[in-house]
Structures are given as C-alpha cells and as structure tokens.
Amino acid sequence: MTKTRITYYPVQFIVLHPLIPVTINTVLPSHIVKITGIKVVHSVGVQNMTTEKYLPVIGHLSLEFNSKQYHFGNIEVPFDYQAEASDEFLDAGIDIQRNSLLTGNYENKVFTGIDYLKADGTVTDKWSNYIVTIYLKTMSND
Amino acid sequence: MIRGFRFQKVSLRISKSGQRVYFNTESHKDFTQLKGIALTVGHEGALYGSTFGFRIDEKEVLDESHEAHLLVFGNDVAPNRKMLLFEIPIPINSSKIEGIYTDSSLQDLLGNASYNPGGGIISKNDVNVKKTYVSGKEVVKYSNFQVDGFQMLSGSGFSIGGYSVTPAPVTVVYYPYDVKVTLLLTR
C-alpha cells in the first residue's frame, strides 16, 4: 500500500537580466499529490551586488498550478542573508493533477539603474545573475 | 530509563570549496519517529549556496538541492525556532539515514547562460547528482565522520566528491569548517 508523506520539492530558476521577466514552466513529478505550503527565497547572487543583508523585495513572482487552472497569487521575494531569516511557509492546500504544469512569471525589481544596465540593454559587470528557489511542501505518494 | 526524545548527531568536516560530503548511518533503535532536522555550520559565509539532501530508508525527504541556510541555527537563533519540524513525523525503525552536503553548489550555476535571455528554470540534472546515493563512483572514502561523538571507521559510508566550483568573489569562506546534523527522534 502506498503511504502519503511530506517531502520538500525545490524549483530553482536563474535571473540573467534585470528587465527581462523569467518564464516558469515545468512539470511537477507525478508522485506529488498535494501542495500544503510554499516558500520563495533568494538563493545566491544578489549578495554580489549589495552589502546589505536584507532587502524586503527583489522581485515579484506570479505562480499558477495545475496547468494554469489555479492562480496562487503574487509573491514578493525578499533578499535575506541573516541566520534569523523566517523559515515559514505560506499556507496552501492545492490538490495537484497528475503530470500538470507549474507555471508563472518572475519580474526583477532591483539593480535596474545605469550602474547595472548599459544604454544598449546589455548588463554591466556590476550586475550578477542570481538564483531564486521556490520550495513546495508537498504530500507525496512515492 | 530512556527519555522520550533524543538528539542524534552526525558531524561532517568540509575541507575545500565545492566538496560533496555523503554520510549514512542508522537511526537509534529505541526510537520510532523522526520529528525534525537541523544543521549547524561552523562558518556563516559557507551557508549560502550550500545544499543538503536527506533520505530515510532510501525515500527522499529533502532534495539534494535543498539549501543549507534554511536548516541552520546559530548564536541568535534557538534550535527549536530553526529546526525543520515534520508535521507528520517520519516513522523509523533502525532506519537507514543518508545525507549529502555540498559546499557552494549553487554558485557554480550563476555563470550558466544557456537559458532564455532573461533566465529560466534550472534543470534538475544541473543541480542534482542523485546517482551519488547509489553508485558512490563520484565519491572518495574519508574517515573523519562521527555519529553521536563516536568516530566511524574508514569505509563506513562517509565520502567526499571530487568536483570543485568557484564561489562568488565576495563570499569569503574559510576551510575547513564543520557541519553538524541534528535529528530529533521520539519514541
């Protein structure tokens, strides 16, 4: 008999340009049957562009589940390089259809000035690519 | 008399940038549930971009790309605030416990421009090396590995990987540093 258990499933994406949105489009594994929590964190990269340890919003993430049938909403993504950073998940209760898509868009909101962006639209050497991770707390039946 | 809970600990030593450290051990025989997990890392600069994967009886609990800083408590954070507590405890019965700590594994991905102009999802194949759990081909035997303070012999399953990455230039990390894995077991 298959028993359902909690697992934590990360989805990582990279941001390569301050003004170009990142499109998220990936199939969730078939063993995930429900999502009970969501947390979005900055992983690495932004620390190369600032000496601050905390920025409340570096970008906005819009997330959709079940192949765009369910819009979870817009999430503000902070940059938090402190050990006491919150480790809470946003509550969710989304039943996941088998082999459905996780989709969405991420828009960067920081480091968009002339120090980071040339007139021709290319980035300067002060810009650093960065990685954001979406953590899904899931019920899995694998 | 045995108390109702126990903190089982595993100590790892990271000696160089990009090292992958694998361990396996067995859960204490007198306890039947795993309720939480936490890490302590000896060097704060090493926290970000390092990852920790975790399995019980060969069933994945934390993906190999799970970030270490989400599991770490330090001087200003009490263990019970930062420990990842499982709402549904994981049943154990002298279970096989495996973990993989990878130093600065995510920094290596920052220079990857093989995505759309703005970026995109990072392939699981780029972040995970799940075959490490089963093949052990990419790992090297290493003896400095402790469970609950007892030194384990060489060949007991502690291993270090061979690939290296370059950390971000402003992230200064001093090697070696120690990582302690704390498991909260209950009866």
Side-chain angles (χ1 to χ4, degrees):
Chain A
M1 190 180 101
T2 306
K3 195 172 179 186
T4 305
R5 63 196 184 89
I6 291 181
T7 61
Y8 295 84
Y9 184 76
V11 177
Q12 271 126 347
F13 62 87
I14 188 165
V15 182
L16 297 175
H17 192 283
L19 297 182
I20 302 179
V22 178
T23 302
I24 291 154
N25 196 340
T26 187
V27 178
L28 291 176
S30 56
H31 61 78
I32 293 177
V33 293
K34 186 168 187 166
I35 289 171
T36 59
I38 297 171
K39 175 166 58 180
V40 186
V41 299
H42 160 267
S43 298
V44 283
V46 168
Q47 82 282 1
N48 298 333
M49 297 186 277
T50 180
T51 55
E52 299 288 335
K53 285 215 155 190
Y54 177 72
L55 300 172
V57 180
I58 58 168
H60 291 161
L61 176 69
S62 168
L63 269 187
E64 298 152 330
F65 292 88
N66 289 334
S67 305
K68 300 191 177 182
Q69 291 178 43
Y70 179 79
H71 183 216
F72 180 75
N74 295 306
I75 302 167
E76 293 179 340
V77 183
F79 164 72
D80 198 342
Y81 253 33
Q82 307 166 102
E84 63 271 26
S86 170
D87 56 356
E88 297 292 318
F89 278 74
L90 292 167
D91 286 336
I94 307 165
D95 293 319
I96 296 297
Q97 297 167 0
R98 195 175 171 85
N99 296 322
S100 63
L101 290 170
L102 168 67
T103 56
N105 276 287
Y106 176 80
E107 285 186 33
N108 172 66
K109 294 292 179 188
V110 288
F111 310 114
T112 54
I114 54 172
D115 282 353
Y116 303 93
L117 206 55
K118 297 176 191 168
D120 65 0
T122 58
V123 296
T124 69
D125 57 7
K126 284 192 174 179
W127 166 262
S128 168
N129 300 338
Y130 67 88
I131 294 173
V132 173
T133 305
I134 306 163
Y135 285 92
L136 303 174
K137 183 159 66 171
T138 72
M139 300 302 293
S140 164
N141 65 4
D142 65 346
Chain B
M1 184 177 155
I2 297 173
R3 285 171 295 183
F5 64 93
R6 179 189 177 95
F7 292 105
Q8 185 168 346
K9 295 198 173 187
V10 179
S11 301
L12 314 172
R13 171 152 289 192
I14 314 300
S15 302
K16 63 177 185 177
S17 173
Q19 239 175 8
R20 289 171 63 78
V21 176
Y22 168 81
F23 71 87
N24 68 47
T25 184
E26 200 171 83
S27 65
H28 194 285
K29 61 182 173 54
D30 292 329
F31 296 86
T32 58
Q33 292 186 323
L34 172 66
K35 281 200 145 176
I37 183 170
L39 301 184
T40 47
V41 174
H43 192 286
E44 190 183 354
L47 279 179
Y48 298 94
S50 297
T51 54
F52 182 73
F54 184 67
R55 302 202 314 179
I56 299 281
D57 284 334
E58 304 193 348
K59 293 265 190 184
E60 186 177 278
V61 179
L62 301 177
D63 185 271
E64 256 189 70
S65 59
H66 199 98
E67 289 167 82
H69 75 87
L70 299 174
L71 303 169
V72 166
F73 58 90
N75 285 339
D76 301 328
V77 185
N80 61 352
R81 268 195 56 212
K82 205 62 181 179
M83 182 169 263
L84 179 64
L85 295 169
F86 303 117
E87 290 154 31
I88 303 174
I90 300 170
I92 50 173
N93 181 14
S94 296
S95 295
K96 182 181 180 185
I97 295 175
E98 295 172 283
I100 290 186
Y101 180 92
T102 309
D103 176 77
S104 53
S105 59
L106 296 180
Q107 277 91 337
D108 192 37
L109 302 169
L110 287 176
N112 192 338
S114 62
Y115 300 97
N116 293 326
I121 295 272
I122 298 172
S123 160
K124 285 284 170 200
N125 293 332
D126 288 343
V127 237
N128 286 339
V129 191
K130 288 188 175 162
K131 61 188 177 189
T132 309
Y133 278 126
V134 288
S135 75
K137 284 181 182 171
E138 297 188 17
V139 295
V140 178
K141 294 292 182 193
Y142 188 72
S143 61
N144 188 9
F145 157 46
Q146 294 187 333
V147 176
D148 283 349
F150 296 104
Q151 185 78 27
M152 305 297 280
L153 296 174
S154 178
S156 59
F158 180 80
S159 320
I160 293 176
Y163 80 92
S164 68
V165 296
T166 307
V170 297
T171 307
V172 181
V173 181
Y174 299 99
Y175 298 92
Y177 66 88
D178 289 341
V179 177
K180 289 193 190 304
V181 183
T182 304
L183 306 169
L184 172 58
L185 311 183
T186 61
R187 300 191 78 183

